[in-house]
Amino acid sequence: MPATTGTPGTSDIPAVTVVGIGADGWKGLPAASRAALAEAEVLIGGPRQLDLPPLPECPGERVAWPSPLRPAVAGLLAAHAGRRIAVLASGDPMFYGIGRALSEELGAAALRVLPHPSSVSLACARLGWPVEDTEVLTLVGRPAARLASALYDGRRLLVLSANADTPAEVAALLCERGFGPSRLRVLEQLGSGRESRYEGVAEAWSHAPGDPLNVIAVECRRSPGALRLGAVPGLPDTAYESDGQLTKRHVRAATLAALAPAPGELLWDVGGGSGSIAVEWMRAHPACRAVTVEKNAVRAERIVRNADRLGVPGLRVVTGAAPEALSELPVPDAVFIGGGLTAPGLLDACWEALPAGGRLVANTVTLESEALLTGWYRRHGGELVRLAVAQAVPVGGFTGWRQAMPVTQWSVTKRAGQGDKAIEEI
């Protein structure tokens, strides 16, 4: 097998064959996968996978992945330079598997991947669920709270379990989030001779932990009266725990539309309040990322709770005052300023941090901040709008309009070559 590396010009890391293997073990492998394992001088994998290839058919040295795994990948492979290496993976290595880490470390050209049917394919085959209509989430090494963002009435989910306790954890979360009537089916040891299943309703879940190798099928059913959350920005204000520092629903929807989240992008939410903008940015797509900066420690803790409740526990919360707290943050794709616009240097720091093509959106209700935004608008363009919302309320025996404070919003996309210096006061 020719040697190659993830770094051009070097040859100290060998090419690697990644072999997907199911719970049915050696007997379930096709000829090409068996040959790769039989010819390998080194077999690398988790302890469970390493027990599956039989002796003497696969005589190669067996090496278990250390923990933590990711930092050890390049060094471990380099330690076996010049030898034929096969890495064992569960099911499809490129589906929440070691294949991703190897591809990122070595480059795709250094890999030969021999997949096995994934647990998702096997589960959908058993359930009669179309794979393309089934949402898949993994709780392996991830908090169960992230499941909350996928809960919609009638939706089918497949949850990849971390261990035998995950089904009960999922059932408890469903009840907490208003989905107690949801049906759960736990499929264990898929593809093996010991395959089995058990099922129940989340709010009446009483099963003891079973096999740690399991997948959970969830048919979501919302409890009568539970708060309904939609899939687009503008969640009900009551979805958030708040002390009043909350971008209200209609303005929030307009703000997210201006920010225009896209998969993989990073948002700075400066002056987080209740965290609603960052939360709904991350709910827009599982790959969206956000950092909220909030100087009030009590509010920062509240943002963490809101993110957890609404299914985006990966939201990073930085407790500190801007602009000082922004200095060590990664480069954003978009910035939202929801408070503190008149703080010296804040708008300058946010503008300077944005790369060309980055978006900035700032909201205010005060005349002083509005004057500041007007000056920036005159210099850099974009859109300056005023958002006014009125709600119908009782007026004696009649109904009238109650006007909320109007919000001035400046939104702009930074162009290449635009100056980074602050405008002169006007």
Side-chain angles (χ1 to χ4, degrees):
M1 180 181 296
T4 186
T5 72
T7 304
T10 64
S11 58
D12 56 336
I13 298 179
V16 173
T17 299
V18 190
V19 178
I21 190 167
D24 50 355
W26 179 256
K27 68 178 182 179
L29 292 178
S33 296
R34 290 191 182 192
L37 296 177
E39 295 168 3
E41 297 172 283
V42 181
L43 303 177
I44 302 176
R48 184 179 66 83
Q49 286 94 5
L50 290 174
D51 286 341
L52 297 176
L55 291 169
E57 289 91 338
C58 302
E61 177 187 355
R62 306 192 183 204
V63 179
W65 287 114
S67 181
L69 185 153
R70 187 58 183 266
V73 170
L76 184 59
L77 296 177
H80 297 283
R83 305 177 73 187
R84 292 188 298 274
I85 295 177
V87 173
L88 287 155
S90 294
D92 184 346
M94 303 307 297
F95 186 75
Y96 290 112
I98 189 63
R100 175 174 181 168
L102 293 172
S103 179
E104 291 175 353
E105 289 285 346
L106 305 179
L111 296 183
R112 176 189 178 212
V113 181
L114 303 174
H116 188 276
S118 69
S119 57
V120 169
S121 293
L122 293 172
C124 286
R126 303 296 187 269
L127 298 165
W129 289 4
V131 177
E132 68 272 16
D133 291 337
T134 303
E135 185 164 357
V136 181
L137 300 97
T138 180
L139 298 186
V140 180
R142 296 167 174 83
R146 67 191 302 268
L147 181 64
S149 63
L151 299 180
Y152 297 101
D153 200 28
R155 189 73 171 144
R156 290 172 170 175
L157 311 176
L158 278 181
V159 181
L160 309 183
S161 284
N163 51 48
D165 296 322
T166 306
E169 190 176 4
V170 169
L173 183 139
L174 289 167
C175 293
E176 292 168 4
R177 302 302 195 275
F179 281 79
S182 300
R183 180 188 182 190
L184 279 68
R185 282 178 278 184
V186 181
L187 295 87
E188 300 179 333
Q189 288 285 335
L190 280 164
S192 79
R194 296 183 290 120
E195 183 176 320
S196 63
R197 73 166 72 180
Y198 56 94
E199 65 179 80
V201 174
E203 59 195 5
W205 194 257
S206 60
H207 295 283
D211 194 287
L213 190 63
N214 70 81
V215 174
I216 309 163
V218 182
E219 295 179 81
C220 299
R221 295 289 181 269
R222 188 163 52 92
S223 301
L227 183 65
R228 183 184 183 278
L229 302 181
V232 299
L235 298 182
D237 293 344
T238 52
Y240 294 93
E241 180 186 344
S242 173
D243 62 357
Q245 291 297 312
L246 173 71
T247 302
K248 299 302 190 288
R249 180 178 192 175
H250 299 92
V251 173
R252 191 184 330 127
T255 300
L256 267 295
L259 286 167
E265 289 189 330
L266 173 67
L267 171 74
W268 286 4
D269 177 13
V270 182
S274 300
S276 61
I277 296 295
V279 165
E280 296 190 29
W281 168 281
M282 292 186 67
R283 282 175 61 94
H285 191 275
C288 286
R289 300 167 295 135
V291 180
T292 291
V293 178
E294 171 55 58
K295 65 180 180 181
N296 184 296
V298 173
R299 287 177 182 160
E301 293 174 0
R302 186 178 294 119
I303 292 171
V304 172
R305 293 194 295 273
N306 282 330
D308 186 81
R309 183 182 304 109
L310 293 168
V312 289
L315 172 59
R316 179 182 171 190
V317 180
V318 174
T319 305
E324 294 79 12
L326 307 177
S327 60
E328 301 299 322
L329 299 184
V331 176
D333 298 287
V335 176
F336 171 66
I337 306 175
L341 269 170
T342 56
L346 173 59
L347 197 45
D348 301 80
C350 293
W351 184 254
E352 290 171 9
L354 275 177
R359 289 95 63 203
L360 186 146
V361 177
N363 290 355
T364 187
V365 296
T366 70
L367 293 175
E368 292 78 8
S369 293
E370 182 177 289
L372 180 65
L373 293 183
T374 300
W376 280 77
Y377 166 69
R378 287 174 58 189
R379 178 171 182 180
H380 295 295
E383 289 188 324
L384 190 66
V385 300
R386 177 167 290 175
L387 306 172
V389 177
Q391 292 184 324
V393 296
V395 180
F398 300 91
T399 303
W401 292 108
R402 175 172 293 165
Q403 186 78 38
M405 291 183 69
V407 175
T408 298
Q409 179 182 93
W410 178 50
S411 59
V412 64
T413 298
K414 187 175 181 180
R415 301 186 305 273
Q418 277 188 310
D420 292 332
K421 299 300 182 181
I423 63 169
E424 297 179 0
E425 292 186 6
I426 58 173

